[in-house]
């Protein structure tokens, strides 16, 4: 490498957090010439026990990151899907081909480990530092780089300049708490969610099942395993463990009880659902960009949290180039992304509302309404979701 090449290569971007948002940002920035380090405090990226639904807007983000086809090869394409009642009756039933014609791509379902693995493999060799915690000690300005302190597993602390910092440190973001002191803090979403991946169970049809304050999702994966999530509203009381959850859903239609019976308790994830009421007024402070859940953790009912994190990273790579005035380019990125993520957060919260209803009268009316409008529900749903799902990444 000549001296000139060495100089042009030194545009340092530090990404804090190796979740979907951090990895996507790292890949996008590296593809556009940044010298990227992704710092993750966990010693392994292995996410246990959960699948992920990747909507068409995120599939296009993965294309922009160069891993769209590799993801399609590993994923199950959504086929028949819909909303059901606990007794198995369909409220809304559709086929993914219909959604594909509206949104331009299919929804993909895969194990989180597969998505995270593909993103991590797309990073430049050596860019990922596991078992290391990073702290922004100075967010920098247009004329001064940011400062980041990292501490590795051996306790060695290093302080370094960065031309760009991406804070992808999740809903509990210490970066947001410190440098966006007036940003809204996380609040409860009013329910607790369980997630797990079962052993192979053939013939499962993808669906979401709405009960009274309980929602279960059943998503077949390409290899025959099934990703299952169940959320239980606080109003009906969160079960203390999986056995209590199994008992609550014992009379739900096949294969729900069988799927719950097959899960290895040690791999099930249980989380109280929390979200941010709104994104901060700006997603940028100095040279630091907030992405993913750190900026816009949303309720999972629309399955868009990870999808928006992928979009964040892709747009960041396209809009903030190494030779740009970084602080100014970041502000433009924030102006583009903030309205988008705020809109998706609002829609997620709106969809969540009826899933928390527990009164027999309200849920009976809700279900009757959905059944009565039948295919119209699908059409109305498609109309509401079109702006979310039809999103296109910026042209390179
Ligand atoms: C029940 C449920 C179901 C969901 N289903 C879907 C779905 O189907 N589709 C979808 O798109 N989204 C879904 N989501 C949302 C999605 O999981 C999140 O939006 C997404 O994982 C956020 O990614 P992230 O990278 O922003 O944050 P995180 O995944 O939280 O990653 C943050 C990372 O930062 C690391 N970190 C934190 N602080 C530091 C530090 N100081 N130094 C170094 N590392 C640090 C953490 O260890 C962590 O690995 C769901 C969420 C839930 C709760």
């Amino acid at each position: 490498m000549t001296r000139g090449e060495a100089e042009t290569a030194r545009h340092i971007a530090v990404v804090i957090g190796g979740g979907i948002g951090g990895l996507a940002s790292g890949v996008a920035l590296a593809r556009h010439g940044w010298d990227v380090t992704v710092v993750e405090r966990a010693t392994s990226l292995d996410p246990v026990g959960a699948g992920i639904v990747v909507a068409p807007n995120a599939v296009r983000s993965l294309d922009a990151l160069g891993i769209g086809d590799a993801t399609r090869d590993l994923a199950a394409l959504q086929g028949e899907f819909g909303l059901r009642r606990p007794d198995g009756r369909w409220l809304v039933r559709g086929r993914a081909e219909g959604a594909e014609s509206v949104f331009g791509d299919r929804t993909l379902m895969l194990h989180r480990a597969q998505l995270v693995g593909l993103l991590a493999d797309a990073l430049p060799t050596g860019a990922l530092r596991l078992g290391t915690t990073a702290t922004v000690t100075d967010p920098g300005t247009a004329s001064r780089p940011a400062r980041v302190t990292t501490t590795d597993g051996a306790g060695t602390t290093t302080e370094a300049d960065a031309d760009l910092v991406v804070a992808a440190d999740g809903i509990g973001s210490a970066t947001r708490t410190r440098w966006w002191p007036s940003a809204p803090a996380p609040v409860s979403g009013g329910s607790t969610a369980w997630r797990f991946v079962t052993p192979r169970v053939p013939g499962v049809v993808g669906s979401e099942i709405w009960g009274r304050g309980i929602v279960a999702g059943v998503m077949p994966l390409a290899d025959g395993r099934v990703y299952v999530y169940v959320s239980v509203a606080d109003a009906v009381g969160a079960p203390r463990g999986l056995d209590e959850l199994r008992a609550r859903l014992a009379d739900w239609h096949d294969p729900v009880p069988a799927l719950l019976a097959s899960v290895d308790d040690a791999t099930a994830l249980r989380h109280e659902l929390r979200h941010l009421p709104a994104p901060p007024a700006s997603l940028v402070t100095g040279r630091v960009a907030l992405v993913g859940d750190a900026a816009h953790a949303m309720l999972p009912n629309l399955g868009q949290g990870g999808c928006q994190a992928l979009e964040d990273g892709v747009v960041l790579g396209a809009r903030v180039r190494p030779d740009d005035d970084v602080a100014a380019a970041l502000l433009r990125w924030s102006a583009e992304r903030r309205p988008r993520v705020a809109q998706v957060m609002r829609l997620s919260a709106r969809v969540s509302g009826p899933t928390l209803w527990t009164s027999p009268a309200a849920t009976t009316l809700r279900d009757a309404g959905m059944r009565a409008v039948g295919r119209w529900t699908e059409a109305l749903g498609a109309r509401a979701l079109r702006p979310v799902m039809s999103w296109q990444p910026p042209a390179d």
Side-chain angles (χ1 to χ4, degrees), residues 145-164:
R147 296 283 288 169
V148 178
T149 301
T150 54
T151 307
D152 66 17
T156 308
T157 294
T158 314
E159 201 176 0
D161 285 349
D163 300 297
L164 168 63

Side-chain angles (χ1 to χ4, degrees), residues 81-85 89-93 208 210 370:
F81 70 96
L83 282 183
R84 306 177 84 164
R85 294 192 336 182
R89 281 180 74 185
W90 289 93
L91 299 168
V92 182
R93 192 173 191 175
E208 195 161 276
W210 286 22
M370 283 199 282

Side-chain angles (χ1 to χ4, degrees), residues 16-22 39-42 52-53 112 132-134 168-171 193 195 227 273 291-294 300 303-307 309:
I16 305 177
I20 293 169
V39 184
E40 166 56 50
R41 68 182 170 196
I52 187 156
V53 179
R112 270 179 191 250
T132 304
T133 300
D169 46 354
I171 186 170
R195 285 176 287 171
Y227 165 46
L273 291 182
V291 310
D293 278 10
Q304 276 288 323
C307 299

Side-chain angles (χ1 to χ4, degrees), residues 1 7 19 34 36 101 110 119 181-182 239 259 281 293 307 326 331 363:
M1 193 186 274
E7 277 166 6
W34 285 92
V36 172
S101 68
L110 67 167
L119 287 164
S182 54
L259 290 170
D293 278 10
C307 299
V326 172
L331 288 175
T363 51

